[in-house]
Amino acid sequence: MKRLALKFGGTSVGSIGKIKKVANIIKKRHAEGNEIIVIVSAMSGVTNELKNKSNLISNHFDNKELDVLLSSGEQISSSLLSGAIINLGLKARSWLGWQIPIFTDNNHTSAQILKIRTDEILKFISGRGIAIIAGFQGVTKNDRITTLGRGGSDLSAVAIAKFFETDSCEIYTDVEGVLTADPNMYDKAKKIEKISYEEMLEMASLGAKVMQPGAVQASMIDDIPIHVRSTFSEKSGTKIISENNIDHKKAVTGIAYSKNNAKVSIIGVVDKPGVAADVFEPIGKNNINIDMVIQNTSLDGKTANITFTIKQKDLKKTLDIIEKNKQKINYKRITHDEKLAKVSIVGAGMVASPGVTHKMFRSLANEKINILAISTSEIKISVLVQENLTQRALKILHKTFELN
Ligand code: ADP
Ligand code: ASP
Ligand code: MG
């Protein structure tokens, strides 16, 4: 007998018909003799609808109340799924985060899980009950409801796998597994059989929405293998596992992208120690995330240009902040560019394969795709390009790195 953690995402429970289908998958896994703990997301679209409602009241809607509001989506789906399983003649019960409890810190809207009580649910599943846990939520020691950040049911699943010491952590979703790219952007993307935690963390952080980055990080820390698989097909899915168990035959494993980036260039700043700090300090204090940064010095060595990227939604605020600090920063002018995409190739195999960088740049150049900024780490290379060239970039990079 095995103990399984099965997580079903919003797209898998997006309608009553789909909930019934999920109930049947659970029934089958249970009939194989397994103990089952299910983690469920809100029906697709529900969390967004709730968030939009809070925005109609205020864009600065209270964080603690936002968590109460957003967590309600999972209350609906967990009860519907549990009811559907009971209807199939099995024993099931739903649990909300606070009922278990799943204790978190008090970092509302992106809380971290600290501890999960296990005794009641262990007793229930050992008596052949099926536990249905509302994902994405927890409770502070002061009894306030928290949520774990968007896509946070993935993190719930990893934490449940850890605290309940399950034999598997399975993420059921609407695609076959982790693919070499988002199939919505590139329909010839191929399923990846195995990917390391590190690579998946890069892919997720660079825009591959299929797993929440925080969940991948948690699985990496505790070495909890994840199996990403489809609710709608029986195919084998993708294993996210430790690097030691992977033999990298290719330099690149997958390609991620993120849209809605903007680029700001501050031209002619006086080149002296502290100038970068003067630029980025006020931006950081306003909770705006800076992504790529390039600084280059002018020929006379006296002035520099600082270029950086941010999310497009932060552009206006960023420009306002820089203009407000014009005297302190001391620059000639600012320029900016919108509708940019960051396209990133990811692969632990690139550590041992020289030449990946120039191959990437050359193949983009051959397609007349201009690179506006570059950033690299040991296992990824990101380039900034015009957003409308994303699809073309994915296509040529798949060809160059033999991904399909
Ligand atoms: P769920 O509702 O199951 O949590 P998500 O919508 O959060 O599902 O994640 C699945 C989606 O992630 C897919 O439908 C796909 O559009 C998107 N996606 C982006 N990049 C990738 C990738 N590399 N592999 C698979 N899916 C991806
Ligand atoms: N319902 C939450 C969201 O949409 C959590 C999740 O789906 O994982 O972000
Ligand atoms: Mg998700």
Side-chain angles (χ1 to χ4, degrees):
M1 185 188 62
K2 290 200 165 146
R3 182 178 299 159
L4 314 178
L6 310 179
K7 179 254 174 181
F8 292 88
T11 45
S12 300
V13 294
S15 66
I16 297 301
K18 288 181 181 172
I19 289 177
K20 287 183 179 169
K21 175 164 180 51
V22 167
N24 277 303
I25 294 175
I26 295 168
K27 181 180 177 184
K28 182 160 169 263
R29 303 296 303 271
H30 184 256
E32 290 159 0
N34 302 306
E35 288 185 346
I36 309 277
I37 308 177
V38 174
I39 300 92
V40 67
S41 296
M43 296 169 79
S44 53
V46 168
T47 313
N48 284 342
E49 273 169 36
L50 294 167
K51 179 80 181 71
N52 291 343
K53 283 187 178 140
S54 75
N55 287 344
L56 293 177
I57 293 192
S58 160
N59 284 332
H60 303 286
F61 194 85
D62 184 82
N63 266 350
K64 296 187 179 74
E65 295 307 335
L66 188 59
D67 277 350
V68 177
L69 179 68
L70 296 191
S71 66
S72 69
E74 273 73 8
Q75 176 158 355
I76 297 171
S77 56
S78 58
S79 59
L80 285 172
L81 181 57
S82 188
I85 296 169
I86 294 170
N87 233 35
L88 295 176
L90 301 171
K91 178 172 152 190
R93 191 210 132 163
S94 64
W95 270 270
L96 302 178
W98 66 267
Q99 294 175 304
I100 300 175
I102 294 175
F103 288 112
T104 71
D105 61 18
N106 54 14
N107 194 3
H108 285 273
T109 73
S110 49
Q112 291 290 334
I113 294 175
L114 303 172
K115 198 172 158 28
I116 302 179
R117 208 177 109 187
T118 55
D119 48 353
E120 188 180 49
I121 288 177
L122 284 177
K123 197 168 152 215
F124 187 75
I125 59 174
S126 71
R128 298 296 289 149
I130 297 167
I132 311 294
I133 296 178
F136 182 51
Q137 56 185 271
V139 65
T140 68
K141 63 178 190 313
N142 301 321
D143 295 333
R144 298 299 309 250
I145 290 174
T146 50
T147 63
L148 310 176
R150 295 307 306 269
S153 298
D154 293 337
L155 179 57
S156 307
V158 173
I160 295 288
K162 174 183 169 180
F163 283 94
F164 287 88
E165 298 179 349
T166 62
D167 296 289
S168 76
C169 178
E170 302 176 42
I171 305 287
Y172 280 89
T173 183
D174 66 340
V175 279
E176 238 187 90
V178 180
L179 310 182
T180 52
D182 183 350
N184 288 322
M185 185 52 84
Y186 182 61
D187 61 8
K188 294 198 178 67
K190 280 263 157 40
K191 192 187 76 191
I192 300 168
E193 295 292 330
K194 293 179 192 171
I195 185 169
S196 67
Y197 298 124
E198 290 81 357
E199 290 172 313
M200 191 64 230
L201 183 55
E202 289 282 9
M203 289 279 286
S205 311
L206 293 165
K209 180 180 164 221
V210 60
M211 283 294 302
Q212 190 212 32
V216 182
Q217 195 174 27
S219 72
M220 180 163 88
I221 290 170
D222 288 304
D223 193 9
I224 295 170
I226 295 175
H227 182 182
V228 182
R229 58 189 306 181
S230 170
T231 302
F232 308 103
S233 99
E234 300 264 316
K235 291 192 184 141
S236 60
T238 300
K239 301 277 165 56
I240 307 174
I241 52 178
S242 158
E243 176 68 44
N244 306 332
N245 303 322
I246 300 182
D247 146 33
H248 294 283
K249 294 206 180 69
K250 289 180 181 169
V252 175
T253 303
I255 308 177
Y257 71 90
S258 73
K259 284 191 163 182
N260 299 319
N261 293 288
K263 176 167 80 71
V264 176
S265 295
I266 310 180
I267 315 286
V269 283
V270 177
D271 196 8
K272 61 172 193 326
V275 57
D278 287 342
V279 171
F280 294 123
E281 205 167 60
I283 300 173
K285 280 191 176 149
N286 279 279
N287 288 325
I288 294 170
N289 275 329
I290 307 280
D291 187 8
M292 302 161 122
V293 179
I294 306 165
Q295 176 170 340
N296 38 25
T297 315
S298 67
L299 286 177
D300 63 9
K302 287 188 186 127
T303 60
N305 300 336
I306 297 179
T307 298
F308 59 90
T309 66
I310 46 173
K311 282 289 162 199
Q312 206 156 290
K313 67 174 174 41
D314 294 327
L315 180 61
K316 191 179 170 310
K317 199 166 165 193
T318 304
L319 294 174
D320 288 348
I321 293 168
I322 296 169
E323 268 158 24
K324 234 192 244 156
N325 287 278
K326 180 156 196 213
Q327 286 219 308
K328 187 166 181 202
I329 302 172
N330 193 2
Y331 60 88
K332 284 204 189 81
R333 63 193 167 87
I334 334 176
T335 63
H336 67 268
D337 212 343
E338 291 181 71
K339 294 211 176 83
L340 304 176
K342 185 168 71 166
V343 176
S344 310
I345 57 173
V346 174
M350 66 175 74
V351 177
S353 354
V356 176
T357 316
H358 83 247
K359 264 193 206 155
M360 179 185 199
F361 298 167
R362 177 62 62 205
S363 64
L364 294 171
N366 288 343
E367 285 294 302
K368 307 228 167 0
I369 298 173
N370 195 21
I371 300 173
L372 306 169
I374 300 164
S375 74
T376 66
S377 78
E378 212 178 8
I379 62 164
K380 73 119 207 273
I381 304 170
S382 302
V383 295
L384 192 72
V385 301
Q386 294 294 341
E387 204 168 270
N388 58 6
L389 300 175
T390 310
Q391 208 156 23
R392 231 157 88 194
L394 291 182
K395 187 172 170 199
I396 186 64
L397 293 172
H398 267 76
K399 189 161 169 240
T400 305
F401 295 105
E402 296 169 357
L403 291 177
N404 43 16

